[in-house]
Each structure stands twice: as structure tokens, then as C-alpha cells.
Amino acid sequence: MTVPQILTELGGVSRRTFYRWRELGQGPDAFKLPNGELRVWRSDFSAWLRGLEGAAA
């Protein structure tokens, strides 16, 4: 998934917020492509969301 796709799925979270979560180690696992762009596997994104749901319960 691209960063814009992730932001859309999160309901419009800002790009800055996403990168701040990454700085704090609270975002989904991501990897960089050779051109520097970030990508997240959908399975990692889904697991991260499930973890947030569990923490909120």
C-alpha cells in the first residue's frame, strides 16, 4: 500500500501524523523502495489496525 492509500483508509489522517507515528514507532511496519517511497504490506496494515482495536478495548 502507498502512503496516500493508507491515509485514505484511515479516514483522512494527515501525512504528518502518519510520519510522526513512524518516528515514535507506533505506525505499521513499512519498507522503503529504492526511490525512497514507503510501502506497507496490506497484511501488516491489517495486523496493525487489529492491534489498535485490541488496545482500545
Side-chain angles (χ1 to χ4, degrees), residues 2-57:
T2 64
V3 172
Q5 289 171 326
I6 292 167
L7 300 178
T8 298
E9 291 220 14
L10 292 173
V13 169
S14 74
R15 181 178 288 268
R16 175 69 187 121
T17 298
F18 175 77
Y19 281 101
R20 181 69 177 150
W21 289 342
R22 287 195 29 84
E23 289 172 15
L24 297 173
Q26 298 173 347
D29 291 335
F31 59 95
K32 279 191 179 182
L33 297 176
N35 65 1
E37 291 183 17
L38 283 179
R39 292 293 189 272
V40 175
W41 292 110
R42 179 161 294 279
S43 57
D44 289 340
F45 179 72
S46 297
W48 175 72
L49 281 178
R50 281 192 303 276
L52 292 177
E53 290 173 354

